[in-house]
Amino acid sequence: MIHDCMAAAGFKYFEKPVVAESGQPDFPYVVDDVAWARANGYGAGPVAPAVDPAGRYFAGLSREQQDAWRLALVGSGRQLSVELGPGRRLSASSTGCIASARRTLYGDLARWFKARRLTDNLGLLVQDRVRRDPRYLAAMAEWAGCVKGRGYDADDPGELREVVAARNEGLAAPVVRAAEVSATVAEAMCAQSTSLVRTLREVEPGYRAALIAERWSELVGLNGLEQDAVPRANVALGNR
């Protein structure tokens, strides 16, 4: 549907290639697997696609055509908006080919946008609440004391990476890699030897359950909107 809309505006549209997963476990708060840390350090990022026809096409457009391509695709303005929490607001345009396709599929675009973005970001919202919990803060302070004993003056894993990056600036890649592995091992060992891992297991499920209960109407509504969209999607695919 987006492709047809863009073609009507005189442009080509390419769906973004699927980026291969790195296989890296998810450590949203702290690396807590010592064996993984010793083998991987900071790990690897996602594998970039080898071919990007969209990028080549876009680069071949003039500056004016690029501006027109963006306007046709994503529209203008921020008519759609959802407040995810303090300092977390997501907005999008209700015009353009993306919005047009979604409106055709889901009917109520504003309702779908709010519910979809809330659902997509549930994990981040849970993490926000966990990181403000006094029990988590106390456990993280205990972890910080542990890593300081191992030579790293950092109050949390994010700051630990900043410390390591500053130390590694200008050094050779093998030296940087070894330093990152050492720091990640310290991060994981301190997560296990302090109360941090246990505290996360105790604290996070309650916040997740509470947030799902708070957002239940949006979650149920999203399911309904997307189920209702299936016949419309089938029609659109049948017209190709």
Side-chain angles (χ1 to χ4, degrees):
M1 293 170 70
I2 297 172
H3 178 277
D4 291 346
C5 177
M6 291 295 285
F11 296 107
K12 292 182 179 180
Y13 173 75
F14 301 86
E15 187 68 19
K16 290 183 179 180
V18 176
V19 178
E21 296 290 336
S22 66
Q24 178 172 319
D26 185 25
F27 299 112
Y29 304 97
V30 63
V31 176
D32 57 12
D33 185 328
V34 177
W36 187 93
R38 188 170 286 117
N40 297 278
Y42 287 166
V47 179
V51 179
D52 182 14
R56 288 202 303 265
Y57 170 75
F58 188 77
L61 300 176
S62 68
R63 180 66 61 84
E64 292 75 15
Q65 288 174 321
Q66 289 178 353
D67 291 342
W69 185 92
R70 289 192 195 94
L71 182 62
L73 182 64
V74 301
S76 62
R78 297 182 178 181
Q79 300 89 350
L80 305 172
S81 184
V82 56
E83 185 74 46
L84 297 178
R88 288 187 183 274
R89 174 175 289 277
L90 295 177
S91 301
S93 174
S94 63
T95 64
C97 289
I98 292 177
S100 175
R102 289 171 174 170
R103 185 179 289 107
T104 300
L105 282 175
Y106 306 116
D108 190 335
L109 177 60
R111 183 180 171 213
W112 175 86
F113 179 82
K114 179 181 180 182
R116 180 74 267 170
R117 294 298 171 260
L118 285 170
T119 301
D120 290 344
N121 289 277
L122 271 177
L124 290 176
L125 297 176
V126 170
Q127 292 165 30
D128 283 347
R129 296 187 181 189
V130 169
R131 289 189 173 100
R132 295 194 297 269
D133 189 287
R135 294 166 292 178
Y136 169 82
L137 294 173
M140 186 57 74
E142 187 180 348
W143 175 92
C146 177
V147 295
K148 285 179 183 177
R150 294 176 177 270
Y152 301 99
D153 189 8
D155 292 330
D156 57 57
E159 191 170 322
L160 173 59
R161 295 200 175 197
E162 293 175 2
V163 168
V164 175
R167 291 182 183 179
N168 288 342
E169 189 172 354
L171 299 181
V175 177
V176 171
R177 172 67 176 174
E180 289 177 350
V181 169
S182 295
T184 312
V185 168
E187 176 178 338
M189 293 185 73
C190 286
Q192 292 290 345
S193 64
T194 65
S195 63
L196 184 54
V197 170
R198 174 176 53 80
T199 299
L200 286 169
R201 288 173 181 163
E202 293 173 352
V203 170
E204 188 181 61
Y207 282 115
R208 186 172 297 278
L211 190 58
I212 289 174
E214 290 173 22
R215 302 298 191 180
W216 187 248
S217 62
E218 286 99 336
L219 298 175
V220 172
L222 176 64
N223 183 65
L225 289 171
E226 296 194 337
Q227 289 295 324
D228 290 346
V230 172
R232 302 181 194 122
N234 288 332
V235 170
L237 291 171
N239 291 336
R240 297 294 298 166

